[in-house]
């Protein structure tokens, strides 16, 4: 899985990428007549790493960034490559008590980016996505993740259910999130090695994914809406897991 097209848009995302992965930046494009301290800081960082900067018409960035708000700056970068399941197995040998997020069929790139942002903020060790079952890692995902995509250990697997089964065999507790459970998310112990599995926007967890889970939890709703957005729900449960692990 790679970012297509290979661009990073927006001031915050550009600064984050330049600061963490300058070796992957090919060129920095700045819109003509765009000014400000934050843009100047981006240009300064680029020059420090001997990265080419170029002033271009705003219309060029509009076309390049498509529907993403570029804020006057676009980075041309090397394609992002996710880690493999073998890489994950190697990491598991060194993690004492991993907390992992598995994403099952999230199609909206903004939701996926927001899930990555919550995961990074909650301190997860890895995020697992199913190949061809989630939104591609576009510039929209990167921007919505607020730079989390640069630092998260993201793993792409061809068969999510099989990967979850392998993690279970290695001692991980598999917890699925669903609106159709009577078990509240706060009633579960997340202090052991845990994988939180969240489903797609329309149908939630797929049947086979749900069946591999050791526990299914839900977030109680006190208003009239039936459920939370998947990205919001992911953040709520992950931060509960982190809270339990830090008290």
């Amino acid at each position: 899985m790679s970012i297509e097209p290979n661009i990073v848009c927006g001031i915050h995302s550009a600064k984050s990428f330049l600061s963490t992965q300058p070796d992957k930046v090919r060129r920095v494009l700045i819109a003509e007549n765009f000014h400000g301290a934050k843009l100047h800081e981006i240009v300064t960082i680029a020059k420090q790493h001997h990265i080419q900067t170029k002033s271009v018409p705003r219309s060029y960035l509009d076309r390049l960034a498509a529907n993403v708000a570029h804020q006057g700056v676009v980075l041309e970068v090397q394609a992002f490559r996710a880690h493999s399941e073998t890489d994950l197995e190697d990491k598991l040998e060194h993690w004492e008590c991993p907390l992992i997020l598995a994403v099952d069929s999230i199609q909206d790139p903004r939701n996926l980016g927001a899930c990555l942002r919550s995961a990074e903020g909650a301190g997860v060790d890895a995020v697992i996505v199913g190949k061809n079952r989630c939104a591609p890692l576009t510039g929209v995902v990167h921007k919505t993740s607020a730079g989390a995509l640069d630092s998260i250990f993201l793993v792409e697997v061809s068969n999510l259910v099989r990967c979850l089964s392998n993690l279970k065999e290695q001692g991980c507790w598999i917890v699925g999130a669903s609106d159709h459970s009577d078990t509240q998310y706060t009633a579960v112990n997340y202090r052991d090695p845990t994988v939180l599995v969240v489903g797609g926007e329309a149908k939630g967890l797929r049947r086979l994914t749900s069946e591999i889970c050791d526990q299914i939890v839900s977030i109680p709703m006190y208003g009239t809406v039936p459920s939370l957005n998947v990205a919001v729900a992911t953040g709520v449960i992950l931060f509960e897991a982190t809270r339990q692990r830090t008290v």
Side-chain angles (χ1 to χ4, degrees):
M1 181 181 288
S2 60
I3 293 178
E4 296 294 346
N6 301 329
I7 60 171
V8 171
C9 306
I11 290 173
H12 182 85
S13 294
K15 181 180 177 182
S16 171
F17 200 98
L18 273 170
S19 300
T20 58
Q21 303 181 75
D23 57 311
K24 294 183 179 180
V25 180
R26 294 172 175 167
R27 189 167 61 158
V28 178
L29 304 177
I30 302 292
E32 294 173 347
N33 301 319
F34 268 59
H35 306 286
K38 293 181 179 179
L39 282 176
H40 178 72
E41 184 178 4
I42 288 173
V43 172
T44 300
I45 296 173
K47 289 181 178 179
Q48 290 173 347
H49 292 285
H50 307 289
I51 299 170
Q52 179 189 4
T53 61
K54 184 178 181 179
S55 179
V56 298
R58 175 174 180 169
S59 58
Y60 178 78
L61 293 190
D62 291 341
R63 293 193 300 272
L64 193 63
N67 295 321
V68 182
H70 55 72
Q71 299 175 298
V73 58
V74 171
L75 307 186
E76 293 180 347
V77 303
Q78 297 178 19
F80 176 87
R81 295 294 175 184
H83 294 279
S84 68
E85 195 165 352
T86 300
D87 296 330
L88 177 61
E89 291 174 356
D90 292 340
K91 284 286 188 179
L92 283 172
E93 296 180 0
H94 304 287
W95 289 332
E96 182 177 347
C97 186
L99 176 61
I100 297 171
L101 172 67
V103 177
D104 184 24
S105 306
I106 290 181
Q107 300 299 316
D108 187 320
R110 290 176 174 80
N111 280 338
L112 181 56
C115 286
L116 294 177
R117 181 175 185 173
S118 293
E120 203 279 338
V124 303
D125 295 288
V127 175
I128 302 170
V129 296
K131 184 178 182 180
N132 300 324
R133 288 198 172 275
C134 284
L137 298 176
T138 62
V140 176
V141 175
H142 187 282
K143 190 172 191 301
T144 311
S145 78
L149 186 58
D150 301 336
S151 56
I152 204 84
F153 188 84
L154 191 141
V155 181
E156 180 189 35
V157 299
S158 57
N159 189 317
L160 181 61
V161 173
R162 183 179 62 198
C163 178
L164 294 175
S165 179
N166 291 337
L167 289 170
K168 181 184 289 193
E169 291 178 0
Q170 296 180 66
C172 289
W173 186 252
I174 313 298
V175 179
S178 172
D179 301 335
H180 308 296
S181 173
D182 294 328
T183 303
Q184 292 193 17
Y185 74 103
T186 52
V188 173
N189 177 15
Y190 301 98
R191 296 180 179 87
D192 295 324
T194 301
V195 181
L196 172 66
V197 191
V198 296
E201 298 90 344
K203 299 181 179 179
L205 296 176
R206 291 177 296 141
R207 180 181 60 81
L208 291 177
T209 307
S210 180
E211 289 176 354
I212 201 69
C213 293
D214 298 298
Q215 183 82 57
I216 303 291
V217 300
S218 65
I219 300 173
M221 303 297 294
Y222 301 100
T224 57
V225 296
S227 63
L228 295 174
N229 168 277
V230 62
V232 175
T234 297
V236 169
I237 301 175
L238 284 178
F239 275 89
E240 167 61 18
T242 300
R243 183 195 68 80
Q244 289 188 17
R245 288 165 172 241
T246 54
V247 293

